[in-house]
């Protein structure tokens, strides 16, 4: 199961860039706690860590609750932040270690994950092959497609699963013939056990910030759940780090992407994976005290905005000048707002984990024309965006 067969030169590239933490944070907190893992895992050091913790005092006043904080993963990477960077650190680290030339990943047309992969693969000199599927139209879909084009990623679009499967075979074969090695496949959202390790580390990072007095130990951590890597990584990490925080994973997709079974399976697989690499990593259980799937905020389906999400996006923007969106973080934040209103958060410490990229890359795509995209994707520019995304 090890992947030490990579080319030594690539390994050096991946290792050369070390984490530049402050002197008190000399290495990844997960590696500090389990030094063997540093030998076994390659981290591409793409993320700017630790990300800030900020109190949301204006919002506390508005809602009449205390103890509201935000984890600024929106600034986790430059030029592109959000939750995918933490996963890509380990995923692309492995691709480099294995001497791959390309990675292949999957997502909806406007996938933040596919875009993040395109941007950071390119930074490491890898080709990103993005296999895209239909999504409800939004301005963010257009922006992400243009930015992906800008990075030079290969974009392929499929409207049916069967065609996608055939496309995977074709592209894998084509790249194998050209490069001599197969592309490394990264699952949707980067939510393999290896990707989830990024959020196991994030929980250890949070523990350090609690120890430093930046916030009390949170009772609740709210995060959007799309493919579950973020929420499950945090749940496993909190358990292993001895944090008693309960992860409130707000469903923004339907099964099989988010479900109790998927959560259990990813939790177990990630835990087993880390234990295999370092036998001192503890065996944990995903219990209801640690983890809850929050239903009721998805709306019609993935990628379709809801009135509550749009209102939540407006409220946090006005109160805290934080920019969220309607597919993931607006729905997750709407769940937090609802819990605040119903009194659940009274006397508790609540952390909102901002998983959305916070950098504005519109200057980079200024003047780019969609005509260079595969023809099947033009419709996202020629057809209207969904009604709730139409106001400026
Ligand atoms: C991908 C994504 C999520 C979901 O994270 P998962 O680990 O897939 O559950 C949440 N928020 C944003 C902004 C995302 O792009």
């Amino acid at each position: 199961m090890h992947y030490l067969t990579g080319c030594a030169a690539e390994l050096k590239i991946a290792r050369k860039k070390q984490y530049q933490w402050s002197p008190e944070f000399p290495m990844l907190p997960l590696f500090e706690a389990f030094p063997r893992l540093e030998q076994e895992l390659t981290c591409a050091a793409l993320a700017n860590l630790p990300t800030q913790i900020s109190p949301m005092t204006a919002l506390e006043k508005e809602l009449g609750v205390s103890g509201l904080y935000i984890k600024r993963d929106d600034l986790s990477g430059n030029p592109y932040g959000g939750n995918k960077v933490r996963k890509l650190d380990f995923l692309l680290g492995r691709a480099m270690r294995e001497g791959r030339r390309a990675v292949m990943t999957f997502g909806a047309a406007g996938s933040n994950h596919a875009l993040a992969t395109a941007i950071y693969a390119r930074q490491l000199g890898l080709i990103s092959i993005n296999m895209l599927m239909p999504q409800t139209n939004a301005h963010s879909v257009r922006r992400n497609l243009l930015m992906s084009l800008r990075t030079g990623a290969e974009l392929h679009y499929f409207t049916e699963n069967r065609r996608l499967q055939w496309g995977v075979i074709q592209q894998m074969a084509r790249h194998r013939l050209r490069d001599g090695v197969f592309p490394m496949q990264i699952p949707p959202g980067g939510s393999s056990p290896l990707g989830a390790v990024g959020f196991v580390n994030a929980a250890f990072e949070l523990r350090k910030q609690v120890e430093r007095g930046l916030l009390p130990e949170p009772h609740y951590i709210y995060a959007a759940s799309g493919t579950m890597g973020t929420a499950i990584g945090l749940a496993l990490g909190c358990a292993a780090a001895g944090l008693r925080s309960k992860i409130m994973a707000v469903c923004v997709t339907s099964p099989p992407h988010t479900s109790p079974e998927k959560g259990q399976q990813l939790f177990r697989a990630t835990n087993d994976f880390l234990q295999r690499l370092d036998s001192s990593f503890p065996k944990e259980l995903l219990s209801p005290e640690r983890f809850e799937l929050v239903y009721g905020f998805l709306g019609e389906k993935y990628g379709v905005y809801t009135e509550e999400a749009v209102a939540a996006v407006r409220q946090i923007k006005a109160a805290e000048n934080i920019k969220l969106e309607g597919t993931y973080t607006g729905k997750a934040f709407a769940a937090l707002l609802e819990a605040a209103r119903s009194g659940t958060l009274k006397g508790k410490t609540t952390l909102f984990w901002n998983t959305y990229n916070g950098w504005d890359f519109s200057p980079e795509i200024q003047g780019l024309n969609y005509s260079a995209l595969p023809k099947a994707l033009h419709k996202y520019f020629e057809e209207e965006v969904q009604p709730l995304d139409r106001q400026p």
Side-chain angles (χ1 to χ4, degrees):
M1 276 313 285
H2 286 186
Y3 35 83
L4 290 164
T5 48
C7 132
E10 307 279 5
L11 181 56
K12 266 196 217 118
I13 299 170
R15 279 272 166 91
K16 205 166 60 190
K17 194 179 155 216
Q18 290 294 332
Y19 266 93
Q20 300 292 314
W21 290 57
S22 57
E24 313 98 281
F25 284 91
M27 63 155 71
L28 284 186
L30 178 64
F31 290 169
E32 202 175 294
F34 300 99
R36 252 205 81 84
L37 292 178
E38 192 175 14
Q39 312 303 307
E40 302 288 339
L41 296 166
T42 302
C43 180
L46 303 164
N48 298 328
L49 303 177
T51 58
Q52 263 181 52
I53 298 270
S54 310
M56 297 198 281
T57 40
L59 205 67
E60 286 175 358
K61 272 215 196 83
E62 257 177 60
L63 298 171
V65 296
S66 56
L68 285 185
Y69 295 84
I70 182 167
K71 180 73 167 152
R72 300 295 306 272
D73 269 20
D74 46 319
L75 306 177
S76 65
N78 200 345
Y80 194 77
N83 63 339
K84 303 310 181 303
V85 190
R86 289 182 186 271
K87 302 176 182 184
L88 289 169
D89 255 347
F90 291 94
L91 294 163
L92 296 179
R94 178 191 278 185
M96 296 301 280
R97 186 164 174 150
E98 290 181 349
R100 305 286 185 135
R101 294 283 179 269
V103 293
M104 173 185 284
T105 198
F106 306 86
S111 165
N112 298 323
H113 163 68
L115 173 57
T117 306
I119 289 172
Y120 289 107
R122 178 176 182 138
Q123 235 179 54
L124 295 170
L126 297 164
I127 293 165
S128 185
I129 309 160
N130 294 1
M131 311 296 269
L132 305 175
M133 299 278 285
Q135 167 169 15
T136 305
N137 202 8
H139 287 110
S140 66
V141 175
R142 296 178 182 170
R143 282 197 299 272
N144 283 8
L145 282 171
L146 289 177
M147 190 62 185
S148 297
L149 185 65
R150 173 95 219 263
T151 66
E154 269 185 34
L155 306 178
H156 303 279
Y157 184 67
F158 304 92
T159 50
E160 281 171 41
N161 250 313
R162 277 220 342 269
R163 282 176 200 256
L164 169 68
Q165 283 161 20
W166 178 231
V168 169
I169 295 169
Q170 281 180 316
Q171 296 306 325
M172 291 295 282
R174 191 169 69 81
H175 281 267
R176 171 71 173 74
L177 273 175
R178 203 181 64 184
D179 303 336
V181 280
F182 280 114
M184 184 178 104
Q185 289 194 21
I186 298 176
S191 288
S192 62
L194 183 65
V197 169
F199 276 91
V200 177
N201 177 67
F204 281 81
E205 177 181 308
L206 176 63
R207 185 179 75 182
K208 278 200 171 264
Q209 293 177 314
V210 170
E211 285 165 1
R212 257 141 228 265
L214 297 176
L215 78 168
E217 181 176 359
H219 294 88
Y220 297 114
I221 299 175
Y222 276 81
S225 177
T227 57
M228 301 196 85
T230 302
I232 290 297
L234 284 175
L236 176 58
C238 283
L243 288 173
R244 287 156 302 175
S245 310
K246 181 171 182 180
I247 313 303
M248 305 297 281
V250 182
C251 301
V252 303
T253 57
S254 2
H257 305 291
T258 296
S259 73
E261 298 73 30
K262 161 101 181 265
Q264 286 292 349
Q265 190 252 330
L266 184 58
F267 188 93
R268 221 173 310 119
T270 308
N271 200 169
D272 289 352
F273 173 66
L274 286 171
Q275 267 199 321
R276 264 203 314 278
L277 299 182
D278 182 343
S279 56
S280 70
F281 193 91
K283 177 107 192 128
E284 300 292 349
L285 284 176
L286 185 61
S287 64
E289 299 84 68
R290 282 209 180 111
F291 184 85
E292 183 176 329
L293 278 177
V294 181
Y295 296 99
F297 295 88
L298 166 64
E300 186 192 327
K301 63 173 181 175
Y302 169 76
V304 177
Y305 299 3
T306 61
E307 297 282 359
E308 295 95 314
V310 171
V313 170
R314 276 208 204 100
Q315 189 167 359
I316 194 171
K317 175 75 184 152
E320 302 288 343
N321 198 26
I322 295 283
K323 187 188 75 185
L324 302 183
E325 43 65 63
T327 297
Y328 296 96
T329 46
K331 290 178 181 177
F333 197 67
L336 185 154
L337 289 176
E338 161 98 2
R341 284 187 211 110
S342 71
T344 314
L345 307 185
K346 267 247 152 15
K348 310 281 189 194
T349 299
T350 304
L351 178 64
F352 179 69
W353 205 289
N354 189 0
T355 49
Y356 183 49
N357 163 56
W359 298 109
D360 177 18
F361 54 80
S362 50
E364 306 245 7
I365 54 174
Q366 192 93 60
L368 270 190
N369 195 297
Y370 68 85
S371 61
L373 286 164
K375 209 155 173 51
L377 287 164
H378 292 190
K379 66 171 186 195
Y380 291 102
F381 297 81
E382 291 162 358
E383 290 170 10
E384 280 223 76
V385 298
Q386 58 185 295
L388 285 175
D389 194 29
R390 273 179 212 160
Q391 52 274 64

